[in-house]
mmCIF file of all heavy atoms in Angstrom:
data_model
loop_
_atom_site.group_PDB
_atom_site.id
_atom_site.type_symbol
_atom_site.label_atom_id
_atom_site.label_comp_id
_atom_site.label_asym_id
_atom_site.label_seq_id
_atom_site.Cartn_x
_atom_site.Cartn_y
_atom_site.Cartn_z
ATOM 1 N N ALA A 133 17.212 30.891 0.479
ATOM 2 C CA ALA A 133 16.693 31.011 1.864
ATOM 3 C C ALA A 133 15.318 31.589 1.973
ATOM 4 O O ALA A 133 14.436 31.028 2.647
ATOM 5 C CB ALA A 133 17.690 31.868 2.685
ATOM 6 N N ASP A 134 15.069 32.677 1.348
ATOM 7 C CA ASP A 134 13.719 33.377 1.458
ATOM 8 C C ASP A 134 12.592 32.445 1.096
ATOM 9 O O ASP A 134 11.576 32.377 1.752
ATOM 10 C CB ASP A 134 13.667 34.640 0.650
ATOM 11 C CG ASP A 134 14.667 35.730 1.067
ATOM 12 O OD1 ASP A 134 15.435 35.425 2.029
ATOM 13 O OD2 ASP A 134 14.650 36.849 0.515
ATOM 14 N N VAL A 135 12.749 31.790 -0.066
ATOM 15 C CA VAL A 135 11.662 30.932 -0.525
ATOM 16 C C VAL A 135 11.441 29.699 0.388
ATOM 17 O O VAL A 135 10.356 29.211 0.437
ATOM 18 C CB VAL A 135 11.863 30.482 -2.025
ATOM 19 C CG1 VAL A 135 11.890 31.655 -2.911
ATOM 20 C CG2 VAL A 135 13.093 29.618 -2.155
ATOM 21 N N VAL A 136 12.523 29.272 1.048
ATOM 22 C CA VAL A 136 12.355 28.143 2.002
ATOM 23 C C VAL A 136 11.540 28.644 3.155
ATOM 24 O O VAL A 136 10.645 27.916 3.636
ATOM 25 C CB VAL A 136 13.716 27.656 2.469
ATOM 26 C CG1 VAL A 136 13.538 26.535 3.502
ATOM 27 C CG2 VAL A 136 14.554 27.150 1.272
ATOM 28 N N GLY A 137 11.736 29.869 3.635
ATOM 29 C CA GLY A 137 10.915 30.470 4.631
ATOM 30 C C GLY A 137 9.446 30.550 4.236
ATOM 31 O O GLY A 137 8.540 30.280 5.004
ATOM 32 N N LEU A 138 9.278 30.884 2.899
ATOM 33 C CA LEU A 138 7.849 30.947 2.393
ATOM 34 C C LEU A 138 7.187 29.561 2.302
ATOM 35 O O LEU A 138 5.994 29.441 2.503
ATOM 36 C CB LEU A 138 7.850 31.639 1.034
ATOM 37 C CG LEU A 138 8.291 33.156 1.076
ATOM 38 C CD1 LEU A 138 8.290 33.707 -0.354
ATOM 39 C CD2 LEU A 138 7.383 33.951 2.000
ATOM 40 N N MET A 139 8.004 28.581 1.899
ATOM 41 C CA MET A 139 7.463 27.226 1.883
ATOM 42 C C MET A 139 6.962 26.808 3.306
ATOM 43 O O MET A 139 5.868 26.211 3.429
ATOM 44 C CB MET A 139 8.492 26.198 1.413
ATOM 45 C CG MET A 139 8.846 26.300 -0.088
ATOM 46 S SD MET A 139 10.076 25.063 -0.499
ATOM 47 C CE MET A 139 10.899 25.771 -1.899
ATOM 48 N N CYS A 140 7.799 27.070 4.289
ATOM 49 C CA CYS A 140 7.403 26.716 5.640
ATOM 50 C C CYS A 140 6.183 27.514 6.106
ATOM 51 O O CYS A 140 5.340 26.977 6.756
ATOM 52 C CB CYS A 140 8.596 26.970 6.564
ATOM 53 S SG CYS A 140 10.023 25.842 6.319
ATOM 54 N N LEU A 141 6.140 28.794 5.697
ATOM 55 C CA LEU A 141 5.015 29.643 6.063
ATOM 56 C C LEU A 141 3.766 29.094 5.462
ATOM 57 O O LEU A 141 2.679 29.153 6.099
ATOM 58 C CB LEU A 141 5.230 31.040 5.585
ATOM 59 C CG LEU A 141 4.164 32.088 5.960
ATOM 60 C CD1 LEU A 141 4.018 32.191 7.428
ATOM 61 C CD2 LEU A 141 4.499 33.469 5.359
ATOM 62 N N LYS A 142 3.750 28.545 4.257
ATOM 63 C CA LYS A 142 2.588 27.876 3.669
ATOM 64 C C LYS A 142 2.078 26.793 4.576
ATOM 65 O O LYS A 142 0.827 26.609 4.696
ATOM 66 C CB LYS A 142 2.938 27.360 2.287
ATOM 67 C CG LYS A 142 2.897 28.310 1.123
ATOM 68 C CD LYS A 142 1.529 28.713 0.779
ATOM 69 C CE LYS A 142 1.391 29.647 -0.359
ATOM 70 N NZ LYS A 142 -0.009 29.990 -0.679
ATOM 71 N N VAL A 143 2.991 26.046 5.180
ATOM 72 C CA VAL A 143 2.587 24.990 6.096
ATOM 73 C C VAL A 143 2.008 25.640 7.372
ATOM 74 O O VAL A 143 0.928 25.161 7.880
ATOM 75 C CB VAL A 143 3.758 24.065 6.446
ATOM 76 C CG1 VAL A 143 3.371 23.034 7.497
ATOM 77 C CG2 VAL A 143 4.277 23.354 5.195
ATOM 78 N N PHE A 144 2.630 26.618 7.871
ATOM 79 C CA PHE A 144 2.227 27.202 9.161
ATOM 80 C C PHE A 144 0.863 27.821 9.115
ATOM 81 O O PHE A 144 0.089 27.668 10.094
ATOM 82 C CB PHE A 144 3.252 28.268 9.623
ATOM 83 C CG PHE A 144 4.656 27.831 9.856
ATOM 84 C CD1 PHE A 144 5.710 28.645 9.710
ATOM 85 C CD2 PHE A 144 4.882 26.492 10.221
ATOM 86 C CE1 PHE A 144 7.030 28.225 9.976
ATOM 87 C CE2 PHE A 144 6.184 26.055 10.459
ATOM 88 C CZ PHE A 144 7.273 26.920 10.328
ATOM 89 N N VAL A 145 0.499 28.458 7.995
ATOM 90 C CA VAL A 145 -0.777 29.153 7.920
ATOM 91 C C VAL A 145 -1.929 28.253 7.434
ATOM 92 O O VAL A 145 -3.131 28.644 7.493
ATOM 93 C CB VAL A 145 -0.721 30.444 7.092
ATOM 94 C CG1 VAL A 145 0.343 31.367 7.578
ATOM 95 C CG2 VAL A 145 -0.449 30.052 5.586
ATOM 96 N N LYS A 146 -1.567 27.097 6.980
ATOM 97 C CA LYS A 146 -2.569 26.030 6.601
ATOM 98 C C LYS A 146 -3.698 26.580 5.681
ATOM 99 O O LYS A 146 -4.883 26.480 5.886
ATOM 100 C CB LYS A 146 -3.216 25.473 7.834
ATOM 101 C CG LYS A 146 -2.282 24.647 8.692
ATOM 102 C CD LYS A 146 -3.022 24.021 9.877
ATOM 103 C CE LYS A 146 -2.115 23.098 10.656
ATOM 104 N NZ LYS A 146 -2.806 22.452 11.796
ATOM 105 N N GLY A 147 -3.255 27.287 4.586
ATOM 106 C CA GLY A 147 -4.242 27.716 3.601
ATOM 107 C C GLY A 147 -4.809 29.088 3.859
ATOM 108 O O GLY A 147 -5.631 29.600 3.047
ATOM 109 N N ASP A 148 -4.403 29.785 4.926
ATOM 110 C CA ASP A 148 -4.954 31.127 5.183
ATOM 111 C C ASP A 148 -4.130 32.102 4.386
ATOM 112 O O ASP A 148 -3.077 32.602 4.795
ATOM 113 C CB ASP A 148 -4.830 31.437 6.738
ATOM 114 C CG ASP A 148 -5.475 32.734 7.082
ATOM 115 O OD1 ASP A 148 -5.618 33.635 6.235
ATOM 116 O OD2 ASP A 148 -5.793 32.915 8.272
ATOM 117 N N ASP A 149 -4.622 32.500 3.225
ATOM 118 C CA ASP A 149 -3.878 33.314 2.299
ATOM 119 C C ASP A 149 -3.729 34.780 2.780
ATOM 120 O O ASP A 149 -2.691 35.394 2.550
ATOM 121 C CB ASP A 149 -4.561 33.345 0.921
ATOM 122 C CG ASP A 149 -4.522 32.040 0.222
ATOM 123 O OD1 ASP A 149 -3.510 31.248 0.485
ATOM 124 O OD2 ASP A 149 -5.381 31.768 -0.625
ATOM 125 N N VAL A 150 -4.701 35.232 3.583
ATOM 126 C CA VAL A 150 -4.600 36.589 4.163
ATOM 127 C C VAL A 150 -3.446 36.630 5.117
ATOM 128 O O VAL A 150 -2.630 37.562 5.130
ATOM 129 C CB VAL A 150 -5.911 36.944 4.825
ATOM 130 C CG1 VAL A 150 -5.770 38.297 5.557
ATOM 131 C CG2 VAL A 150 -7.042 37.020 3.785
ATOM 132 N N LEU A 151 -3.340 35.624 6.014
ATOM 133 C CA LEU A 151 -2.251 35.564 6.975
ATOM 134 C C LEU A 151 -0.925 35.384 6.281
ATOM 135 O O LEU A 151 0.109 35.911 6.686
ATOM 136 C CB LEU A 151 -2.506 34.436 8.008
ATOM 137 C CG LEU A 151 -1.487 34.348 9.160
ATOM 138 C CD1 LEU A 151 -1.486 35.671 9.964
ATOM 139 C CD2 LEU A 151 -1.899 33.192 10.105
ATOM 140 N N PHE A 152 -0.902 34.589 5.242
ATOM 141 C CA PHE A 152 0.350 34.361 4.490
ATOM 142 C C PHE A 152 0.902 35.651 3.932
ATOM 143 O O PHE A 152 2.059 36.003 4.106
ATOM 144 C CB PHE A 152 0.087 33.364 3.349
ATOM 145 C CG PHE A 152 1.324 33.140 2.501
ATOM 146 C CD1 PHE A 152 2.225 32.168 2.863
ATOM 147 C CD2 PHE A 152 1.521 33.804 1.311
ATOM 148 C CE1 PHE A 152 3.360 31.920 2.090
ATOM 149 C CE2 PHE A 152 2.641 33.625 0.533
ATOM 150 C CZ PHE A 152 3.597 32.656 0.970
#
Side-chain angles (χ1 to χ4, degrees):
D134 295 5
V135 298
V136 178
L138 294 178
M139 290 182 205
C140 292
L141 183 59
K142 278 288 185 180
V143 174
F144 297 155
V145 302
K146 293 184 175 180
D148 187 336
D149 292 335
V150 174
L151 185 58
F152 178 84

